[in-house]
Amino acid sequence: MSEPSPAERYARAAAASREQRGHPIATAFAASRPFELDPFQIESCRALEEGRSVLVAAPTGAGKTIVGEFAIHLAMREPHDKAFYTTPMKALSNQKYRELVDEYGPDEVGLLTGDTNINGNARVVVMTTEVLRNMLYADSPALRSLRYVVMDEVHYLADRFRGAVWEEVIIHLPRSVRLVSLSATVSNAEEFGDWLDTVRGDTEVIVSETRPVPLEQHVLVRGDLLPLFDDRAGVATAQVNQELMRLRSFKGTSFENNRRAQQVRNDPSRRRPPRGGVRPVRPSNIRSIERIDRPDVVRLLERSNLLPAIFFIFSRAGCDAAVQQVRRAVLRLTTREERDLIREVVEQRTRTLGDEDLAVLGFWEWRENLERGVAAHHAGLLPAFKEVVEELFQRKLVKAVFATETLALGINMPARTVVLEKLEKFNGEARVAITAGEYTQLTGRAGRRGIDVEGHAVIQWTEQMDPQQVAALASRRTYPLNSSFRPTYNMAVNLIDQFGRPRAREVLESSFAQFQADRSVVGIARQVKEAEESLAGYATAMACDRGDFVEYAGIRRELSDLEKINRRDATAPRGLRESRQRQLASLRKRMQRHPCHSCPDRESHARWGERYHRLDRDVQRMRRQIDSRTGTVARVFDRVVDVLTAVHYVDVDDAGDTHLTAEGRRMRRIYGERDLLVAESLRLHLWDRLDASSLAALACCLVFEPRREDGRENALPRGAFRPVFAETLTLWQRLDDLEREHHLPGSEPPSGGLALAMHTWARGGMLDRVLEEADMAAGDFVRWAKQTIDLLDQLSIVADTEVGRTARSALDAVRRGIVAHSSV
């Protein structure tokens, strides 16, 4: 490619200058950043300055959040405008809150995450997506003057448990609000952007496939880091390193040799040398490839200047065991100055935790491991401990983190190197291979912008590894974004209250779920149209001047089908066989009497008739698909409303108009998977006689989801709790039956697996006893306790009986110690 001429360079510079003059705010913002913005960031900021919404899809670590920060910058330029920044996780919200406080100061920034409420009326508020959804349904005053909403990690709308919340927010936000949607790289960004353009108005779709830091892919074989791809071919061609392919073939040969050697050892008669006295020589380079220990891998990365590194291990126990292995190997990755800094951060972040709790949490060993430069990161850790690990890793003080895949979901924690020990994980039922999207998400952590020239992904060799499959994972970028939207009871009552039933159905028809279904219908409808044209041609080809050949062909087909059944089912009862024989005789008579039977071109017509029949059968199937997909979301909504009508939350008057009852209006403020069960329990006064600790235990039963059934009978709190829990289970069964009668999927029964532990905690029990009763890690208990708090908070607001006051007492009882601790 030739160099541009001076005239061409001048023309380009002039065009760039005009672009900058046309976007003065974006230009000044870009100049204020400590690094040069990438083209996709500049394009996104300019679109926002022009007053458009944007969807930005880019790889992990590419700097998408800069676009969200520019939206906040635009809001802060006006005296009264506000901006909300939503994230899918509280940890992400906490992290973003701290960053924005550093930028704008604590008076201008707020945080709302359900269990944390800081400066909620600020001009910039960071929140979880659920909080914004609830604000929209409640028509919160905080929405006034809202101009921008940033939805970070918007691809979460594919999450089957929480994804609907993203679509609810996108649909219900006022049209005047500009939306900044930040997504991982997805293969159907344009489709998602088309939907956003439909429901939100003018939306620019900006896709970047470029990683800001190039990624080198390696396979760790014995003590060597071999490139996954041929250096001369690169990732684009997915040309696998031939040395890895030879290792793969050696492995197969080695396996066969080992099998034969075992046969010889087991059969002495086979030990004689072959004819001629020459023994086969085993190649010296064919041997079992041993995996090197984790401490040795860490040492190798340290020697190769590839730290800090994240080791993704798909189990919590594996993460903790890895830290212990490094500890036993007496490996130390930090200097004296770094250890002093680590201790300072740890002491500052954990100073409000009591010594007794710290002892239960294994604090001192955890701190010593941090001072060595190693740590685990998984959901079982106390949130405060996870936050310390994240901060120390970001500050380059911790050098090796052993983490589960949850770390890959959005937290700003890039590394120089990412190590994958295996390419499969346990999904709760079986071990399954990770997908290309998961591989991209995990390895996306490798490479720190502004620090590393390149990132490194290291896959450890295993005997089962196929380099071609690994290359396919590394080179594929297929990660489609599919809606998980489904109407809920809470959604239904809020929509009916705001819009009425007919308009509510229209609102739901605008969901991304229906948009995708309709798009698939368009393709199927096109196939039907083409097939119908072919059917018309077949009908012409089989037309008979003696009669209706379609009718005649139908008789022949019915006769043929019945003859096949009769031959297959020769052992049928005598009466049934005689009935079939009479049917066969009748069909043969009808066929022979039909005018087309005597047509000389009958068999030629029949061949066209068979083609017509097969194609017509396919057309009918496609039409059923269209019927099943058109209006699917609205049909589910109708079933949900029918259930609500059956339990008297919705009334339909003589004119057919739908209205909420008093119970339906209360349900508007009840959010969660068990919204109907909670509302019905309150209506029936099932929980009125519970004290605070028992109500906390029962609320926990409604939010807790056991990881897997272990067959053990759960110990339950004594007293009033047991009969009330039994009544709640009976009510759940009735509601589940009602849902299934209306062709809804139903739900899992409430679980008492954590009830005793939550009861003990709410009564002031010691942490060690509670964790023993819970049989779970501290981080898990805190997570379920905070979800329990969310539900108790709702009860304290909506329950107008003694339950409301009890819920407030239960809130205070649960929100203590490690549950109350927050480092924000």
Side-chain angles (χ1 to χ4, degrees):
M1 188 175 176
S2 61
E3 286 289 320
S5 66
E8 289 172 330
R9 287 198 297 269
Y10 177 79
R12 292 178 187 176
S17 178
R18 284 194 300 273
E19 279 288 339
Q20 290 178 354
R21 287 197 302 272
H23 301 89
I25 305 174
T27 300
F29 177 79
S32 71
R33 300 297 98 180
F35 50 85
E36 184 178 351
L37 297 193
D38 290 336
F40 86 89
Q41 295 168 323
I42 294 170
E43 184 183 357
S44 303
C45 292
R46 288 174 176 172
L48 282 171
E49 186 173 353
E50 291 167 5
R52 285 177 284 168
S53 295
V54 293
L55 165 63
V56 183
T60 300
K64 297 184 289 291
T65 55
I66 283 289
V67 184
E69 290 166 12
F70 180 67
I72 295 171
H73 176 76
L74 287 174
M76 297 300 283
R77 285 173 55 85
E78 302 299 325
H80 303 294
D81 284 0
K82 300 174 73 172
F84 289 171
Y85 196 109
T86 74
T87 76
M89 294 181 291
K90 293 175 182 178
L92 274 175
S93 295
N94 293 343
Q95 187 176 71
K96 199 67 198 176
Y97 168 75
R98 288 193 292 266
E99 292 174 5
L100 290 172
V101 165
D102 291 342
E103 177 87 12
Y104 295 105
D107 294 338
E108 298 285 9
V109 184
L111 176 67
L112 298 173
T113 61
D115 59 329
T116 303
N117 186 336
I118 301 173
N119 200 15
N121 292 316
R123 292 181 59 200
V124 180
V125 184
V126 183
M127 62 187 68
T128 52
T129 317
E130 282 85 353
V131 169
L132 179 53
R133 186 270 313 272
N134 300 351
M135 291 170 69
L136 287 166
Y137 280 150
D139 194 22
S140 169
L143 296 170
R144 294 177 195 134
S145 301
L146 180 62
R147 292 293 173 265
Y148 296 93
V149 167
V150 182
M151 300 195 78
D152 204 354
E153 310 284 340
V154 75
H155 51 274
Y156 256 79
L157 68 77
D159 184 88
R160 69 190 185 99
F161 296 110
R162 300 171 57 209
V165 176
W166 274 257
E167 291 190 48
E168 289 178 82
V169 168
I170 292 168
I171 291 169
H172 294 305
L173 272 174
R175 292 282 291 224
S176 59
V177 176
R178 297 292 88 189
L179 190 65
V180 181
S181 304
L182 308 178
S183 171
T185 305
V186 293
S187 52
N188 60 336
E190 288 76 13
E191 178 188 43
F192 184 50
D194 287 347
W195 173 69
L196 288 171
D197 196 68
T198 301
V199 297
R200 301 293 320 157
D202 193 5
T203 300
E204 184 84 6
V205 179
I206 296 155
V207 178
S208 174
E209 296 279 359
T210 306
R211 279 180 52 97
V213 180
L215 182 65
E216 293 289 323
Q217 314 257 4
H218 312 275
V219 178
L220 177 58
V221 183
R222 300 189 186 99
D224 296 327
L225 288 173
L226 302 181
L228 174 60
F229 294 102
D230 190 307
D231 292 338
R232 294 161 297 179
V235 177
T237 58
Q239 179 66 48
V240 181
N241 185 345
Q242 291 305 301
E243 187 173 351
L244 292 174
M245 296 306 295
R246 284 194 292 274
L247 282 171
R248 171 73 174 169
S249 62
F250 287 163
K251 181 181 79 72
T253 307
S254 177
F255 175 81
E256 180 63 21
N257 286 350
N258 287 338
R259 186 181 66 81
R260 289 175 180 169
Q262 185 64 42
Q263 288 176 339
V264 169
R265 284 193 294 272
N266 294 340
D267 184 358
S269 66
R270 299 179 63 178
R271 294 178 186 166
R272 294 191 303 272
R275 188 174 300 169
V278 179
R279 291 182 180 274
V281 178
R282 176 188 173 108
S284 60
N285 58 354
I286 299 178
R287 63 185 186 276
S288 177
I289 299 173
E290 300 290 338
R291 287 169 63 92
I292 65 175
D293 293 335
R294 285 165 179 152
D296 292 331
V297 177
V298 175
R299 290 189 183 99
L300 171 65
L301 296 181
E302 185 181 29
R303 288 195 306 271
S304 305
N305 195 29
L306 293 179
L307 294 179
I310 298 172
F311 292 70
F312 281 112
I313 302 172
F314 299 117
S315 83
R316 301 176 183 186
C319 293
D320 294 333
V323 172
Q324 290 304 316
Q325 288 169 9
V326 173
R327 178 189 178 89
R328 286 195 298 270
V330 200
L331 195 59
R332 193 181 294 279
L333 306 172
T334 54
T335 64
R336 165 58 62 187
E337 292 76 15
E338 288 173 331
R339 289 195 289 276
D340 291 340
L341 284 172
I342 289 170
R343 180 165 293 216
E344 182 181 323
V345 171
V346 170
E347 297 296 341
Q348 180 184 356
R349 289 297 202 93
T350 60
R351 64 179 182 273
T352 60
L353 294 172
D355 286 347
E356 290 181 348
D357 289 348
L358 291 177
V360 173
L361 298 168
F363 169 80
W364 286 279
E365 183 178 311
W366 171 75
R367 187 181 66 182
E368 184 184 339
N369 291 331
L370 288 175
E371 291 176 7
R372 290 177 179 273
V374 297
H377 188 289
H378 55 69
L381 283 178
L382 193 69
F385 284 17
K386 282 197 295 185
E387 290 167 8
V388 168
V389 172
E390 291 158 16
E391 179 179 345
L392 294 176
F393 194 81
Q394 289 165 9
R395 293 175 61 174
K396 307 177 213 171
L397 296 172
V398 165
K399 312 299 173 70
V401 169
F402 300 91
T404 55
E405 69 269 31
T406 53
L407 186 145
L409 300 176
I411 296 172
N412 180 26
M413 200 169 155
R416 175 165 293 175
T417 304
V418 162
V419 180
L420 301 181
E421 293 193 349
K422 295 180 180 177
L423 296 176
E424 62 177 21
K425 64 177 184 177
F426 186 71
N427 67 359
E429 296 177 359
R431 298 206 69 81
V432 296
I434 65 173
T435 65
E438 289 169 331
Y439 182 93
T440 302
Q441 190 84 5
L442 294 167
T443 58
R445 290 281 154 211
R448 299 164 300 175
R449 186 170 186 154
I451 301 174
D452 298 320
V453 176
E454 60 195 14
H456 298 268
V458 176
I459 299 95
Q460 286 198 261
W461 179 272
T462 65
E463 290 293 306
Q464 296 77 32
M465 179 179 287
D466 181 352
Q468 292 281 15
Q469 291 180 357
V470 180
L473 276 179
S475 57
R476 209 160 54 234
R477 293 292 179 267
T478 52
Y479 182 61
L481 183 60
N482 294 313
S483 172
S484 61
F485 185 83
R486 60 180 177 83
T488 64
Y489 297 110
N490 171 270
M491 187 191 304
V493 293
N494 275 290
L495 289 175
I496 290 171
D497 184 56
Q498 287 190 14
F499 306 112
R501 185 170 183 174
R503 173 73 181 120
R505 291 179 98 259
E506 293 175 14
V507 168
L508 292 171
E509 292 284 11
S510 68
S511 66
F512 186 45
Q514 192 58 57
F515 184 83
Q516 288 191 307
D518 289 344
R519 284 218 164 176
S520 69
V521 164
V522 169
I524 298 171
R526 189 183 303 116
Q527 294 177 45
V528 168
K529 184 178 179 181
E530 293 169 357
E532 285 174 338
E533 292 172 359
S534 298
L535 285 173
Y538 294 168
T540 301
M542 73 175 177
C544 181
D545 58 1
R546 301 197 179 193
D548 183 352
F549 202 89
V550 174
E551 180 184 65
Y552 176 73
I555 297 171
R556 282 179 54 138
R557 193 175 309 105
E558 188 178 354
L559 176 61
S560 174
D561 291 345
L562 190 58
E563 285 175 338
K564 289 177 184 175
I565 292 171
N566 203 39
R567 285 195 299 271
R568 279 201 311 266
D569 198 9
T571 59
R574 180 178 176 181
L576 179 58
R577 280 185 284 128
E578 289 176 350
S579 173
R580 284 179 185 158
Q581 291 298 335
R582 288 193 294 272
Q583 286 179 271
L584 287 168
S586 173
L587 286 168
R588 290 189 187 105
K589 189 178 293 185
R590 285 178 59 200
M591 182 182 70
Q592 291 163 1
R593 289 178 178 175
H594 198 283
C596 294
H597 190 65
S598 58
C599 176
D601 296 322
R602 181 186 68 198
E603 293 310 311
S604 174
H605 293 331
R607 284 192 291 274
W608 285 107
E610 187 58 34
R611 294 175 189 173
Y612 182 96
H613 166 69
R614 286 199 297 266
L615 187 57
D616 184 60
R617 185 178 57 200
D618 290 342
V619 168
Q620 297 307 319
R621 176 181 53 77
M622 288 188 286
R623 283 183 177 140
R624 286 193 297 272
Q625 280 184 289
I626 290 172
D627 290 341
S628 68
R629 297 185 187 187
T630 304
T632 49
V633 176
R635 280 203 299 275
V636 174
F637 171 72
D638 287 339
R639 294 170 193 160
V640 167
V641 174
D642 288 344
V643 170
L644 290 170
T645 305
V647 292
H648 309 295
Y649 285 65
V650 167
D651 274 345
V652 181
D653 61 23
D654 295 338
D657 294 330
T658 305
H659 306 280
L660 298 184
T661 64
E663 298 300 334
R665 286 191 293 275
R666 175 162 66 182
M667 194 185 206
R668 292 174 306 171
R669 304 294 300 275
I670 300 173
Y671 305 100
E673 288 289 313
R674 301 194 185 278
D675 45 9
L676 183 57
L677 179 58
V678 171
E680 275 291 87
S681 297
L682 293 176
R683 183 178 73 86
L684 298 172
H685 300 284
L686 294 189
W687 303 340
D688 285 8
R689 61 184 186 274
L690 293 177
D691 60 15
S693 54
S694 296
L695 184 60
L698 192 61
C700 181
C701 294
L702 299 184
V703 299
F704 177 60
E705 297 171 7
R707 297 188 68 177
R708 64 179 67 90
E709 292 299 329
D710 57 11
R712 292 182 302 175
E713 186 173 340
N714 297 318
L716 298 175
R718 298 182 180 278
F721 174 87
R722 293 189 181 186
V724 171
F725 182 54
E727 292 170 17
T728 306
L729 283 174
T730 302
L731 174 60
W732 165 82
Q733 184 66 67
R734 289 207 307 270
L735 294 175
D736 191 65
D737 292 343
L738 182 63
E739 288 175 321
R740 294 180 192 279
E741 285 172 18
H742 288 84
H743 307 290
L744 291 170
S747 61
E748 292 296 315
S751 172
L754 197 53
L756 183 59
M758 191 59 67
H759 187 267
T760 301
W761 178 256
R763 293 182 63 196
M766 300 296 291
L767 180 61
D768 55 350
R769 179 185 169 190
V770 169
L771 294 182
E772 183 180 351
E773 289 177 346
D775 190 25
M776 65 174 53
D780 291 319
F781 178 76
V782 169
R783 185 171 74 256
W784 293 121
K786 291 194 172 183
Q787 291 194 34
T788 301
I789 287 170
D790 286 345
L791 179 52
L792 290 170
D793 189 40
Q794 293 176 42
L795 294 177
S796 71
I797 295 169
V798 302
D800 51 9
T801 62
E802 184 64 27
V803 173
R805 288 185 289 276
T806 307
R808 285 187 283 276
S809 300
L811 267 173
D812 294 335
V814 175
R815 193 188 281 132
R816 66 178 183 88
I818 62 170
V819 175
H821 178 82
S822 174
S823 60
V824 172

